[in-house]
Amino acid sequence: MPWNETLKKWAKAPSETEQTKCNNAVTAIRKAINASKKLNSKSITIFAQGSYCNRTNVRLNSDVDVCILCDDTFFYQVPDGKTSADFGLNSPASYRFDEYKNDIETALVQYFGKGGVTRGNKAFDIHENTYRIDADAVAAFEHRRYLEGGAYETGIAFNADKGERVINWPSRTTRMA
């Protein structure tokens, strides 16, 4: 198949069946998190991001990226020359990221079974079945990049198991502090 035909095929929106399987994957992950007694006390937002949302997925050969965002605490970055105290950030978080990621793993394994979930360095692979596509689920905290005037931009961030912090801006918002 010529490249331009291949690219046109890939650029099409997901078929109704693909979109349903994508939605089913997000719904199943939401159910797994909601079923966890430990995570029920947390403020968690679950949303699809990446290629499916941006319509840049490869049709019939793609997974859905799902963010499991805990809004109860956040990572932050302050401008050079400033300290966290300049922005009133003096209290340590009561819920550590490594604890949160382990709680996510427990909830996913309890819901999908040990064979249905693989923990990777950055995300959990939720294996597909007949009614949902493969999903990469990432546990994340809000990321705040503080600006000189006290406002901050919001994104998401997570710590990979190998130690690196990954910051992403799925939908950047600027808020006044």
Side-chain angles (χ1 to χ4, degrees), residues 33-110:
I33 301 308
N34 289 341
S36 167
K37 289 182 182 180
K38 192 156 192 181
L39 294 170
N40 265 331
S41 65
K42 308 296 180 200
S43 175
I44 295 177
T45 306
I46 299 169
F47 57 93
Q49 62 180 27
S51 62
Y52 262 94
C53 293
N54 299 329
R55 286 192 52 200
T56 56
N57 61 302
V58 177
R59 288 185 54 152
L60 304 174
N61 191 24
S62 195
D63 61 9
V64 62
D65 298 322
V66 179
C67 181
I68 307 169
L69 178 66
C70 180
D71 299 310
D72 291 341
T73 190
F74 55 90
F75 294 121
Y76 62 87
Q77 177 182 353
V78 297
D80 290 339
K82 299 286 185 178
T83 67
S84 58
D86 293 328
F87 296 91
L89 305 171
N90 297 324
S91 303
S94 60
Y95 194 37
R96 294 182 334 269
F97 185 79
D98 60 330
E99 180 183 2
Y100 173 61
K101 189 170 181 181
N102 289 336
D103 290 345
I104 294 294
E105 179 177 26
T106 298
L108 294 173
V109 168
Q110 285 177 346

Side-chain angles (χ1 to χ4, degrees), residues 3-16:
W3 274 110
N4 60 346
E5 288 180 35
T6 300
L7 293 173
K8 283 180 186 178
K9 180 180 172 187
W10 287 349
K12 290 182 182 178
S15 69
E16 188 174 329

